[in-house]
């Protein structure tokens, strides 16, 4: 999408009065800073990634109590519905039996009162009291039934145990993680993108992944999600999805925790574009053209080069189209104080 530079706070004044003043102005050697332009075609970055499970769950009990069975170990495969662990159900079973008895009694009393009401042997109020007692007893019975069932922790899907956090006979609390169960059939790749490369999240690019256990085999991938911030200052977390139809876990034994290489390269659609600092771009007030100052080392002078802006890359750079070469140098500081053909003194 083309940028309207009026929306970017980078437009610098360009336009010097004509006549002798301009000639005298050009005789002044202005100090400037220059940088080499960076072609997007040359942008190819390699990062270290790690395989993660897309679907995982840290399983925990809804009830507290001492563990009486722990049926899995780290790395073990489990099937959906398998009992992972169980806490002592004695107290919960006693409560269940008590509530069950109260439920049966309340149900019998309500049915008896229903018959008596039909014979007009009791008042409507007496029947409604019995009905309310039955509803309360039923709710308590069903709750205790569910609580007793919660003393057994079951696997919600097929997977394997990546981590085990507790041991048998240990007392656990509600919500305390018991194991981390992952689905090995749904994988993603995670890596950290340095803050200096944040622009790569805003341009079309090709993503490839090479797993350390299968060197030389590259799989195409796509950016699944990324956080447009650096939460802990280490960089931008990015997650990739393997989109290559050749990738199959029946062929490639890839598991969470495996290392890999991630390569990001710019798409050919923008390969003829360049990345320049925002401070290098200005608007000529006479021609209304967007330009940069191109430094010519042979003469020590600058000349104006018309450019076409494409999009912002982060907060400090912009992507442009222009007739430039990879070894060209442009002015990034001192832009507002020079004119066409003026001699400059490069400070850097």
């Amino acid at each position: 999408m083309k940028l309207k530079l009026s929306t970017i706070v980078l437009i610098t004044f360009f336009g010097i009065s004509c006549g002798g003043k301009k000639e005298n102005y050009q005789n002044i050697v202005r100090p400037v800073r220059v940088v080499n332009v960076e072609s997007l075609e040359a942008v190819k970055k390699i990062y270290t990634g790690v395989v993660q499970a897309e679907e995982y769950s840290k399983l925990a009990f809804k009830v507290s109590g001492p563990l009486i069975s722990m049926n899995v170990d780290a790395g073990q495969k489990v099937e959906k519905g398998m009992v992972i662990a169980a806490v002592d159900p004695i107290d919960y079973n006693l409560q269940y039996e008590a509530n069950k008895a109260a439920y049966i009694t309340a149900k019998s009393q309500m049915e008896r009162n229903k018959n008596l009401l039909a014979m007009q042997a009791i008042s409507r109020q007496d029947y409604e009291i019995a009905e309310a007692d039955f509803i309360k007893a039923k709710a308590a019975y069903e709750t205790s039934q569910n609580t007793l069932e919660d003393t057994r922790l079951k696997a919600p899907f097929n997977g394997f145990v990546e981590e085990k956090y507790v041991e048998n006979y240990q007392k656990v609390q509600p919500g305390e993680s018991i194991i981390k169960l992952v689905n090995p059939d749904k994988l993603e790749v995670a890596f950290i993108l340095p803050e200096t490369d944040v622009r790569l999240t805003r341009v079309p690019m090709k993503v490839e992944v090479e797993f350390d256990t299968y060197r030389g085999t590259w799989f195409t991938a796509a950016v699944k999600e990324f956080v447009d911030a650096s939460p802990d200052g280490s960089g931008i977390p990015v997650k990739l999805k393997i989109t290559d139809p050749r990738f199959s876990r029946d062929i490639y034994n890839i598991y969470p925790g495996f290392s890999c290489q991630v390569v990001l390269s710019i798409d050919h659609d923008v390969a003829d574009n360049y990345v320049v600092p925002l401070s290098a771009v200005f608007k000529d007030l006479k021609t209304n053209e967007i330009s940069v100052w191109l430094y010519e080392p042979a003469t020590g002078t600058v000349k104006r080069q018309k450019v076409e802006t494409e999009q912002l890359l982060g907060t400090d750079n912009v992507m442009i189209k222009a007739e430039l070469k990879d070894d060209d140098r442009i002015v990034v500081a001192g832009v507002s104080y020079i004119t066409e053909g003026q001699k400059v003194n490069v400070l850097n």
Side-chain angles (χ1 to χ4, degrees), residues 71-78 82 159-162 181:
N71 303 323
V72 298
D73 289 309
Q76 181 177 333
K77 291 184 178 180
V78 300
M82 174 182 173
F160 75 92
V161 180
E162 185 176 85
L181 182 66

Side-chain angles (χ1 to χ4, degrees), residues 293-307:
W293 289 118
L294 184 61
Y295 174 66
E296 297 184 318
T299 61
T301 60
V302 293
K303 76 173 182 179
R304 188 170 63 86
Q305 173 64 57
K306 180 183 175 182
V307 300

Side-chain angles (χ1 to χ4, degrees), residues 283-304:
K283 185 175 184 179
D284 188 330
L285 297 182
K286 291 182 179 180
T287 63
N288 210 35
E289 293 178 342
I290 306 302
S291 307
V292 296
W293 289 118
L294 184 61
Y295 174 66
E296 297 184 318
T299 61
T301 60
V302 293
K303 76 173 182 179
R304 188 170 63 86

